[in-house]
Amino acid sequence: MSKFKKKKSGELPAVSTASLPDIVFMLLFFFMVATVMRDDELQIENKLPQANQVEKLAEKKKVVTIYIGKPSPNFQKTYGLTEVVQLGDKIAPVSDVQTFVNTKRNLMDEDDKDAMTVSLKVDQNSQVGILTDVKQELRDAYALKISYTSVEGDPLKNLKN
């Protein structure tokens, strides 16, 4: 009869790395699905008005967004208390709207240029004057498809008492 010999070396067995690629790909897939790409960092106060006839825009890649409102408290020292226009991630004068829209249009595919829509996200307490100036700049840039962004709700709540 033979005896079984015990190893007395005390070494730990090697860690199996066979499942490591599976774990890496699961993590990669999770972060790709869970990550949200930010659009623009708002530098203005932007409380959208309410409307009861709300419709979503079909394709977001064909939309150029312009924000109008008073600067948020962090930016009031720099830009004051009057309404400003935010183009992308920066506050700009109204005269830059035409250049901004044309630049965005040139970055689009040829098929998407004709279907480009300018989405105006205007604070409900903003004055009409700056909105009119922005719309005139959009006319000069031949950006004639405009949508106004709002939240769904009772439009009568937009009225001040």
Side-chain angles (χ1 to χ4, degrees):
M1 294 193 123
S2 65
K3 286 187 173 181
F4 294 103
K5 292 185 180 178
K6 247 187 182 179
K7 286 187 180 179
K8 295 184 180 181
S9 63
E11 291 180 24
L12 293 175
V15 176
S16 173
T17 58
S19 64
L20 189 61
D22 293 335
I23 295 170
V24 169
F25 283 116
M26 278 194 316
L27 286 172
L28 178 67
F29 183 73
F30 171 76
F31 286 114
M32 284 174 48
V33 170
T35 302
V36 176
M37 303 301 276
R38 74 173 175 91
D39 290 333
D40 297 319
E41 182 180 336
L42 282 181
Q43 299 177 0
I44 62 169
E45 294 175 2
N46 197 261
K47 185 177 180 198
L48 297 174
Q50 295 182 2
N52 58 5
Q53 305 270 326
V54 179
E55 191 176 314
K56 281 196 169 198
L57 291 174
E59 295 184 47
K60 197 164 182 158
K61 70 177 186 173
K62 298 178 184 178
V63 176
V64 176
T65 306
I66 297 175
Y67 301 93
I68 300 173
K70 292 184 179 178
S72 62
N74 299 344
F75 297 96
Q76 285 179 353
K77 188 173 184 180
T78 308
Y79 299 107
L81 299 173
T82 59
E83 282 89 8
V84 293
V85 177
Q86 181 175 336
L87 306 172
D89 280 342
K90 66 175 186 151
I91 293 176
V94 175
S95 59
D96 287 355
V97 170
Q98 190 172 351
T99 306
F100 175 75
V101 170
N102 288 332
T103 302
K104 290 288 188 177
R105 182 185 291 136
N106 290 336
L107 294 174
M108 291 181 179
D109 296 334
E110 285 297 319
D111 299 336
D112 296 339
K113 287 182 181 182
D114 292 336
M116 180 187 80
T117 303
V118 177
S119 175
L120 295 175
K121 293 189 176 185
V122 184
D123 185 66
Q124 69 180 10
N125 298 320
S126 290
Q127 301 295 320
V128 177
I130 191 164
L131 176 61
T132 305
D133 294 343
V134 168
K135 285 173 46 178
Q136 184 60 46
E137 288 291 319
L138 292 173
R139 272 188 224 117
D140 294 343
Y142 297 105
L144 304 177
K145 291 183 184 178
I146 299 174
S147 76
Y148 295 94
T149 304
S150 64
V151 294
E152 196 165 357
D154 182 14
L156 296 176
K157 291 185 179 178
N158 295 329
L159 302 174
K160 291 182 181 178
N161 294 334

